[in-house]
Amino acid sequence: MASDDVASSAKAKYLQIADDLAAQIKSGALAPGSAVPSETELMQRYSVASGTVRKAIAELRTSQLIETHHGRGSFVRSRPPVQRKSSDRFRRAHRNAGKAAYLAEAEVSGGTPSVTVLFVGPTEAPAEIADRLSVRAGTQVLARKRRYFRDGVPTEEATSYLPWDVVKDIPEMFAENPGGGGIYARLEERGYQLAEFTETVRARLATKPETAALALSPGSPVIHLVRDAITSEGRVVEVCDTVMAADQFVLDYRFAAKD
């Protein structure tokens, strides 16, 4: 058989497996929250190699029908992904109400959100972050690293970098919990009026540390989002470097049409 025919046959097989499992999920035969048959079970059932099964499982993850947790296996998705509305999440009204963006979004999508603070303290600015903050690479900045969860499952990890001269006299910035409305509220209280946010988004495969941190399967995709918080005077006062489990989020943007 020609190599193209072999590849076509292999693709048809993993798509057949994915279609069969998708039909079981949609019919309720595989209920929300239930375990997907193991790799070994599926290999035996369909008489295929492990690689074919993994491609079928990846297809279901891409379709957001299942979610895979490292060391536990794959499960039928029991809740929708977090709808991340960038046009709404940073409204000043939310900060004034003491709401943190991720917690509010996760609650709306269903599930119990939580956050673990991994590190708060001085660090040297990496080159890309330094460039965004308009400082030299290696300049001391404040880093705030967090891991976010929904129903106990890690969904994203984010590190905020803030200029030292901006935060050094704001004691709440050095606390694990900076208070209602988060760090943006504390910045605005000190006169750093936020006027604009810019985001750079790309999709890629998770690194080994990210796979472990977010309990992902090897080769899982992530969304890598870097955001600048810019004041009315044009200064970037925070850069937030975020890695998100791609199957846990839908990014929703709204912007005006311009001439």
Side-chain angles (χ1 to χ4, degrees), residues 11 19 40 58 65 70-71 74 93 99-100 108 118-119 132 151 159 166 179 216 235 239:
K11 182 177 181 181
D19 288 345
T40 301
L65 292 174
H70 185 64
S74 297
K99 294 180 181 179
V108 169
L118 303 175
F119 175 79
R132 288 170 174 266
D151 293 335
T159 304
V166 169
L216 301 173
R235 182 177 184 182
V239 176

Side-chain angles (χ1 to χ4, degrees), residues 1-18 48-49 51-53 55-56:
M1 185 180 292
S3 60
D4 286 350
D5 292 336
V6 171
S8 178
S9 176
K11 182 177 181 181
K13 194 65 179 179
Y14 83 72
L15 289 176
Q16 177 203 337
I17 297 170
V48 295
T52 302
V53 170
K55 288 180 180 178

Side-chain angles (χ1 to χ4, degrees), residues 11-88:
K11 182 177 181 181
K13 194 65 179 179
Y14 83 72
L15 289 176
Q16 177 203 337
I17 297 170
D19 288 345
D20 286 353
L21 292 172
Q24 292 177 50
I25 292 169
K26 292 172 183 177
S27 71
L30 281 174
S34 65
V36 174
S38 69
E39 183 177 306
T40 301
E41 290 177 89
L42 293 173
M43 288 170 60
Q44 293 174 348
R45 182 185 301 177
Y46 292 97
S47 300
V48 295
S50 60
T52 302
V53 170
R54 288 171 190 162
K55 288 180 180 178
I57 294 298
E59 188 75 15
L60 293 172
R61 279 201 304 271
T62 300
S63 302
Q64 298 189 348
L65 292 174
I66 67 169
E67 50 195 12
T68 301
H69 305 307
H70 185 64
R72 293 173 52 203
S74 297
F75 299 83
V76 178
R77 185 182 286 279
S78 57
R79 59 188 185 274
V82 173
Q83 193 84 7
R84 187 182 182 281
K85 293 181 176 290
S86 287
S87 59
D88 178 76

Side-chain angles (χ1 to χ4, degrees), residues 120-169:
V120 179
T123 192
E124 295 182 355
E128 180 188 353
I129 302 300
D131 184 59
R132 288 170 174 266
L133 291 173
S134 298
V135 299
R136 291 185 178 180
T139 297
Q140 179 174 281
V141 295
L142 176 67
R144 297 181 54 88
K145 186 173 185 178
R146 297 91 63 201
R147 186 175 298 147
Y148 295 91
F149 300 79
R150 188 163 56 135
D151 293 335
V153 177
T155 57
E156 69 176 272
E157 199 166 86
T159 304
S160 290
Y161 298 90
L162 300 104
W164 194 259
D165 66 297
V166 169
V167 301
K168 63 184 177 65
D169 295 322

